[in-house]
Amino acid sequence: MSAIGTSIDRIRAELAASPRLRAGVWSIVAILLGYWVFVPHAARVDEAATAYAGEHARLVRARELLAREDWQQRLDAAAATEVQLGERFWHADNEGLAQAQLRNAVEDMARRVRLAPRIDVGLSQPVAGVPDLWQVQVQITGTASLEGALRLVDAFARHPRVLVEERLSFNRVRIQRQDQIRIDGLLSAYFILGNPDNARTATAGSPPRTPMDRANA
């Protein structure tokens, strides 16, 4: 404690004897106090300026939108898009008819490429959060030539309504000394059930992607 006391006394004596040293010490104290006071204030000013710039940009955008004169054209375009989106979904009066419609459609596509696979109805359930929209599945198994299998996949991808390949596998097998492709697939279709007016509610969201959409992603 005596050494510390001696050091303090010496510093006091030096400060008392040197006005320039006292001025320097007070300058350092003033700088530290200014930093402590003004830096947090500057940060708050920067935050306020950033918030103001964001609000100003939104206001400018709102004024530009209000000045537009093509609102009717935009509404017409939106209505046309909604109609096109609704056409990508399947439509049926009830769940049973939806299952039959999907099965018949897949059988028809297979028949067009000269295949006769086995088609079984699979899962059928409502889509969470979308009223009147149902997911209906069919399982498809069979054998075909490589060309026939590829043509069937192409038919799935080109179908005008949403048809999602949940699972689709090809395996080479030997049947009667000929190479064949065994097809094992699970397909989903999305149906709007009931009154056609329900399409407006169901198409408010984005539809599931088609196989072609996923290929282009």
Side-chain angles (χ1 to χ4, degrees):
M1 292 298 292
S2 59
I4 295 175
T6 302
S7 298
I8 293 174
D9 291 339
R10 185 172 64 252
I11 292 172
R12 287 177 177 174
E14 291 176 356
L15 289 174
S18 175
R20 183 176 295 180
L21 181 59
R22 290 198 302 273
V25 171
W26 283 114
S27 296
I28 294 173
V29 172
I31 291 172
L32 293 175
L33 288 175
Y35 181 84
W36 182 74
V37 171
F38 290 111
V39 168
H41 178 70
R44 290 193 293 270
V45 170
D46 289 342
E47 291 177 0
T50 301
Y52 173 79
E55 293 296 332
H56 179 69
R58 283 191 287 270
L59 178 60
V60 170
R61 177 59 178 164
R63 288 175 176 173
E64 291 175 352
L65 292 175
L66 289 174
R68 297 185 68 101
E69 298 180 355
D70 61 346
W71 287 110
Q72 187 57 50
Q73 293 89 332
R74 285 171 168 260
L75 289 174
D76 293 342
T81 300
E82 184 176 325
V83 171
Q84 294 174 359
L85 187 60
E87 290 175 350
R88 296 188 66 191
F89 288 91
W90 302 67
H91 298 265
D93 290 337
N94 54 58
E95 179 184 355
L97 292 176
Q99 293 173 333
Q101 184 181 151
L102 177 59
R103 180 171 183 170
N104 291 338
V106 174
E107 287 178 346
D108 183 62
M109 283 184 279
R111 187 165 49 252
R112 290 181 183 180
V113 297
R114 299 180 181 179
L115 298 181
R118 175 179 175 178
I119 300 173
D120 298 313
V121 175
L123 177 69
S124 177
Q125 64 181 1
V127 176
V130 186
D132 304 310
L133 185 65
W134 280 65
Q135 177 190 21
V136 179
Q137 294 184 336
V138 293
Q139 296 177 336
I140 177 171
T141 55
T143 56
S145 64
L146 178 59
E147 179 184 1
L150 294 177
R151 290 174 61 191
L152 181 61
V153 173
D154 183 66
F156 293 157
R158 292 178 181 274
H159 198 277
R161 291 176 177 168
V162 178
L163 189 60
V164 179
E165 297 168 4
E166 304 287 356
R167 183 186 72 249
L168 188 61
S169 62
F170 291 168
N171 295 290
R172 180 175 294 179
V173 295
R174 189 80 172 172
I175 300 178
Q176 296 180 352
R177 299 182 179 180
Q178 293 183 348
D179 287 336
Q180 295 286 309
I181 300 298
R182 179 173 178 81
I183 303 170
D184 183 11
L186 178 65
L187 307 177
S188 286
Y190 291 84
F191 279 82
I192 298 172
L193 299 186
N195 194 305
D197 290 339
N198 294 337
R200 182 177 299 276
T201 300
T203 56
S206 298
R209 294 188 302 172
T210 64
M212 190 63 69
D213 294 333
R214 291 185 293 173
N216 294 332

